[in-house]
Amino acid sequence: MNAPVSALRSYLEDICGSAYVSSDPEVLYTYGSDQTLHLHFPFDLLVKPGNPEEISKILQYCNRHNIAVVPRGGGSGVAGAALPVKGGVVLSLERLNRILGIYNVDGYVIAEAGVVTADLCKAVEQQGLYLPVAPSSMSFSFVGGNVATNAGSIRSCRYGTTAQQVMNLEVVLPDGRIIWTGANVRKNATGVNPTQLFVGSEGTLGVITKVVYRLIPRPRTEVMLLAGFCCLEDALGMVMALKAAELSPTATELICENALQLTAAYLKERQPLVQDGINTHLLIEFQEPDQVIMDHRLDAVSAILQQHRCVDVLVATTATEKERVSKLRYAIGEAMNSFGTTYRDVDACVPLSGLQQYIETVTAICNRHQVPLICFGHALDGNPHAMLLLSNKATQAELAALAAAADEIYGYVTTHGGVVSGEHGIGWLQQQYLPLQFDENRLSLTRQIKSMLDPGNIMNPGKAAL
Ligand SMILES: Cc1cc2nc3c(=O)[nH]c(=O)nc-3n(C[C@H](O)[C@H](O)[C@H](O)COP(=O)(O)OP(=O)(O)OC[C@H]3O[C@@H](n4cnc5c(N)ncnc54)[C@H](O)[C@@H]3O)c2cc1C
């Protein structure tokens, strides 16, 4: 260990206690990776502070000594945002894991940034309230990580992404100042509000330490429908009809033929509606305040399903039935990591009117480059995930083919009104594509904000094109 690192270590141990500072190679290996491909980066020290004041002192020290700091939540990111690509310190939020209060009348919850997302949702529901921030990774992602990536979920088509739920944040700025960005009230016109500046900032502007989310009443009824179609066109026709009828489902998950086949093979036991004559699924969900509204929705959706040549449909109302009809959808991630493969995530978002053309274009690009494609996800948001499968033993030629396919896909997206990322962020993997979406004026504005808040560029350097 060189002198500056040993000095850093003693400083961190003085601040947080030696039990919360580590340079153990096995521990560092784990924290040097996230869920992005098989990427891993070495770094010097892992620190687990216990409160914002300790984080403030750490950032002041790192600022003085120009040491890179990477905030880390659950490490579930798929864009490489939490990878310590410039070494330095990984600052884990895992000890800031308390739910500080659920306020029923005022309709909000305050949680520390290291609370596991699913734990927060469960605690809120026990109070008869609802927090619609539910990424599929919610059993291991953190609340702060969701804010820092502006996470979406299968339910974003009705409730929006994390950005729509955040009221207020406590943030430790790179120079150590601790601020609240907003206020815990429903309306706030008190001058410039920097809350959204930190939503999606991917650890580049400061460390989020507390999150205030607005809450809604818990829906009293929830029904899932699994609909099978003979082709993509019919399934997407159904999605457009749902939109036109303003039925406002809470989920419309598309499962294309490639995703269906791979996951059905992975799960082995026979899955519902995996049968001849069906090659595309739509998993549709409704959450409503009462049964009368739900019945109205189901009557309307049943008529539209018939008009759109739905081959068969299953209706799930109990927890067991819902688990059965959604099992295949939730196993797609595991399936892609089986068979000696992993995946390069492309989560571009396109205008709904261009969704079918986007999926057909991505398919044609992948076919041409001979890159296996798995396509599934948030249809009504125009945010299907195009996963480019990669063998764990990929050759240079296969890697080059994948990169060429990704380049073409992002080129198409950004010239057809879409964005590079709908919910997974820019991180390390996608930064080269930002200039396709933004002109120099827009890029330089972000750089100016970054250099104003973090002139030493210590916060998560080498990310998000900053
Ligand atoms: C199986 C699977 C399913 C997924 N499903 C979804 C999904 O449905 N929707 C979705 O949007 N994403 C999904 N993701 C991606 C990922 O889970 C999300 O991006 C999630 O929000 C990341 O949270 P995290 O706590 O794991 O953050 P990390 O991966 O630890 O970090 C992500 C970024 O946030 C920064 N960060 C973390 N905590 C803080 C903090 N307190 N202050 C400042 N910066 C911070 C990090 O520096 C990094 O830049 C999925 C991933 C997997 C592996």
Side-chain angles (χ1 to χ4, degrees):
M1 182 180 287
N2 62 32
V5 177
S6 61
L8 171 65
R9 182 180 194 122
S10 353
Y11 183 82
L12 295 178
E13 286 181 351
D14 282 351
I15 299 295
C16 305
S18 55
Y20 300 115
V21 182
S22 177
S23 58
D24 179 320
E26 269 183 39
V27 174
L28 262 53
Y29 192 88
T30 304
Y31 284 82
S33 312
D34 61 2
Q35 295 292 316
T36 311
L37 297 163
H38 294 301
L39 295 174
H40 165 78
F41 289 85
F43 63 101
D44 294 318
L45 291 170
L46 169 70
V47 62
K48 300 178 182 178
N51 56 53
E53 290 71 28
E54 289 180 7
I55 295 173
S56 168
K57 287 180 185 150
I58 294 168
L59 294 193
Q60 287 176 53
Y61 182 94
C62 290
N63 228 327
R64 275 200 303 280
H65 298 276
N66 198 23
I67 297 165
V69 181
V70 182
R72 182 180 174 98
S76 69
V78 286
L83 297 172
V85 296
K86 305 277 184 192
V89 172
V90 169
L91 188 154
S92 169
L93 276 299
E94 65 199 66
R95 290 178 61 218
L96 276 73
N97 59 5
R98 293 174 304 158
I99 297 171
L100 299 175
I102 299 173
Y103 300 90
N104 207 315
V105 173
D106 296 322
Y108 67 84
V109 57
I110 309 185
E112 291 185 320
V115 173
V116 172
T117 314
D119 293 346
L120 184 62
C121 291
K122 199 168 156 200
V124 162
E125 282 180 41
Q126 279 165 355
Q127 304 287 323
L129 294 161
Y130 193 62
L131 172 64
V133 173
S136 308
S137 53
M138 65 194 288
S139 63
F140 63 115
S141 69
F142 291 179
V143 165
N146 297 155
V147 174
T149 54
N150 190 13
S153 79
I154 70 162
R155 297 191 174 129
S156 295
C157 58
R158 181 184 288 187
Y159 300 114
T161 61
T162 302
Q164 277 77 53
Q165 319 306 331
V166 176
M167 286 170 97
N168 196 1
L169 297 171
E170 183 191 66
V171 179
V172 184
L173 298 176
D175 63 9
R177 278 177 294 167
I178 302 174
I179 60 159
W180 280 99
T181 58
N184 305 346
V185 288
R186 296 194 69 78
K187 295 170 79 178
N188 178 9
T190 321
V192 172
N193 183 338
T195 305
Q196 294 296 332
L197 192 59
F198 293 93
V199 177
S201 62
E202 300 188 293
T204 60
L205 300 181
V207 180
I208 298 159
T209 43
K210 292 189 186 76
V211 175
V212 183
Y213 277 133
R214 68 172 53 83
L215 302 173
I216 58 174
R218 194 175 77 187
R220 295 219 171 80
T221 61
E222 185 185 286
V223 172
M224 272 183 188
L225 306 172
L226 181 67
F229 297 85
C230 74
C231 60
L232 177 70
E233 197 176 355
D234 285 355
L236 291 182
M238 178 68 201
V239 173
M240 301 306 155
L242 281 170
K243 170 77 178 166
E246 295 179 7
L247 290 177
S248 197
T250 41
T252 42
E253 291 296 292
L254 173 72
I255 305 169
C256 292
E257 185 175 10
N258 43 34
L260 205 59
Q261 284 180 354
L262 181 94
T263 317
Y266 166 73
L267 287 172
K268 295 192 179 74
E269 74 270 24
R270 194 179 165 81
Q271 294 302 307
L273 302 192
V274 175
Q275 63 194 55
D276 285 349
I278 289 180
N279 77 13
T280 309
H281 282 181
L282 267 188
L283 183 66
I284 304 168
E285 181 196 70
F286 288 97
Q287 292 181 327
E288 303 301 344
D290 62 48
Q291 198 55 46
V292 176
I293 300 177
M294 180 63 85
D295 290 345
H296 168 76
R297 295 271 193 250
L298 294 178
D299 286 348
V301 88
S302 146
I304 302 175
L305 280 166
Q306 280 175 18
Q307 286 158 17
H308 287 272
R309 296 178 290 278
C310 170
V311 178
D312 202 354
V313 62
L314 300 174
V315 180
T317 51
T318 66
T320 314
E321 287 168 350
K322 286 178 204 162
E323 197 189 323
R324 184 168 169 264
V325 299
S326 62
K327 184 167 182 176
L328 189 141
R329 163 64 185 88
Y330 285 112
I332 297 173
E334 287 163 39
M336 291 188 298
N337 280 322
S338 312
F339 306 109
T341 48
T342 183
Y343 58 90
R344 163 72 165 85
D345 174 84
V346 175
D347 90 309
C349 188
V350 297
L352 188 57
S353 55
L355 181 59
Q356 183 165 341
Q357 198 189 345
Y358 171 63
I359 295 175
E360 286 168 358
T361 303
V362 170
T363 307
I365 292 171
C366 288
N367 284 343
R368 188 156 28 80
H369 289 282
Q370 298 186 329
V371 173
L373 169 72
I374 299 297
C375 190
F376 65 97
H378 319 313
L380 203 48
D381 283 329
N383 181 214
H385 298 335
M387 304 304 206
L388 313 190
L389 280 199
L390 186 65
S391 159
N392 293 342
K393 295 177 184 154
T395 62
Q396 284 306 319
E398 285 167 334
L399 288 170
L402 184 132
D407 287 355
E408 269 191 56
I409 294 169
Y410 287 113
Y412 175 87
V413 164
T414 51
T415 49
H416 289 77
V419 297
V420 170
S421 172
E423 57 178 25
H424 294 164
I426 296 304
W428 190 68
L429 216 52
Q430 322 222 79
Q431 37 190 352
Q432 72 198 86
Y433 301 114
L434 277 198
L436 297 180
Q437 188 180 322
F438 296 136
D439 65 14
E440 184 49 34
N441 287 342
R442 175 64 176 75
L443 288 171
S444 67
L445 174 68
T446 322
R447 285 197 292 264
Q448 281 168 345
I449 294 168
K450 166 75 170 170
S451 64
M452 182 191 71
L453 286 175
D454 183 21
N457 192 22
I458 61 159
M459 293 304 310
N460 206 2
K463 301 290 173 53
L466 290 168

